[in-house]
């Protein structure tokens, strides 16, 4: 896990340098960096630059947002699952994929399907993070408190950051990342 944290820190440092050069942070720059961090944490270095994986997942998600109003995309889904399985088979040490590789799931469990959900969750986390940064960007007093809290924590010691946690929760209260959920029942439901 330490290697993942170090790599994520390096990617964040690179993003900070890009922000400084560009005069700020925009969604597109953040999304590229966040996707790279996500793929690195889930799969490892070999997947960090696999932007096609994220693009395929995004395309399927956009299609799925129409639920039953659009035809299924079986070939695109099979291609995505094949790509996810290939990354899972590599299972670099210290990644979420390595944690999956260490399990012996029941035959009904399909790890690649679960990993797709992880990637969706990381996407929502990135959206919450950029919105939190937006809130802090427009309020000097809150930004100062957040920076003080960050400065007080040692970089190699995971610790609670209650003020920053509250900022993230406030951004989620203001702008929920999932305003509507669709569910498909697999059994008769009363």
């Amino acid at each position: 896990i330490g290697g993942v944290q170090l790599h994520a820190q390096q990617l964040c440092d690179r993003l900070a340098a890009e922000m400084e050069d560009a005069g700020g942070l925009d969604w597109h720059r953040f999304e590229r960096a966040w996707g790279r961090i996500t793929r690195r944490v889930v799969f490892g270095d070999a997947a960090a630059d696999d932007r096609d994986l994220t693009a395929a997942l995004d395309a399927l998600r956009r299609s799925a947002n129409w639920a039953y109003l659009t035809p299924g995309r079986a070939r695109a889904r099979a291609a995505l699952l094949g790509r996810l399985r290939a990354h899972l088979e590599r299972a670099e040490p210290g990644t979420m994929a390595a944690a999956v590789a260490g399990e012996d799931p029941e035959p009904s469990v399909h790890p690649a399907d679960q990993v797709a959900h992880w990637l969706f969750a990381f996407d929502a986390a990135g959206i919450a993070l950029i919105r939190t940064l937006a809130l802090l960007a427009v309020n000097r007093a809150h930004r100062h408190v957040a920076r003080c809290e960050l400065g007080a924590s040692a970089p190699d010691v995971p610790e609670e950051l209650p003020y920053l946690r509250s900022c993230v929760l406030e951004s989620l209260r203001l702008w929920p990342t999932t305003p509507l959920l669709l569910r498909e029942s697999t059994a008769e439901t009363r």
Side-chain angles (χ1 to χ4, degrees):
I1 298 295
V4 170
Q5 288 174 330
L6 175 63
H7 192 80
Q9 181 63 52
Q10 291 167 343
L11 292 171
C12 289
D13 291 345
R14 187 167 101 189
L15 176 61
E18 287 177 18
M19 283 174 28
E20 193 170 318
D21 291 345
L25 178 64
D26 64 19
W27 170 250
H28 297 292
R29 190 174 295 111
F30 176 82
E31 183 181 32
R32 280 190 310 271
W34 186 255
R36 192 170 202 287
I37 290 168
T38 298
R39 291 184 302 270
R40 170 59 184 92
V41 167
V42 174
F43 300 113
D45 288 329
D49 291 321
D50 188 356
R51 290 170 55 178
D52 291 338
L53 171 71
T54 303
L57 190 62
D58 288 347
L60 283 169
R61 181 175 49 201
R62 278 191 303 277
S63 178
N65 284 341
W66 290 95
Y68 303 102
L69 301 176
T70 185
R73 300 189 53 202
R75 271 189 279 189
R77 186 173 187 281
L80 173 68
L81 289 175
R83 195 177 206 115
L84 291 171
R85 286 185 195 107
H87 284 305
L88 283 170
E89 287 171 9
R90 281 191 280 284
E92 293 181 31
T95 64
M96 294 176 75
V100 169
E103 296 296 318
D104 185 24
E106 298 176 20
S108 63
V109 174
H110 304 283
D113 288 335
Q114 185 60 47
V115 170
H117 289 282
W118 294 351
L119 295 172
F120 287 142
F122 272 102
D123 192 43
I127 293 167
L129 176 56
I130 193 98
R131 289 173 175 171
T132 301
L133 293 173
L135 286 174
L136 292 172
V138 297
N139 190 302
R140 180 179 292 173
H142 291 289
R143 187 171 59 245
H144 175 74
V145 174
R147 283 183 169 163
C148 288
E149 186 175 71
L150 280 172
S153 66
D156 58 342
V157 178
E159 81 178 56
E160 292 292 316
L161 300 169
Y163 190 78
L164 282 169
R165 183 178 193 278
S166 296
C167 292
V168 171
L169 291 175
E170 179 62 5
S171 79
L172 289 169
R173 184 190 69 79
L174 291 170
W175 305 296
T177 59
T178 309
L180 176 68
L181 295 174
L182 297 175
R183 296 286 187 246
E184 180 178 345
S185 179
T186 58
E188 186 175 338
T189 306
R190 300 184 107 213

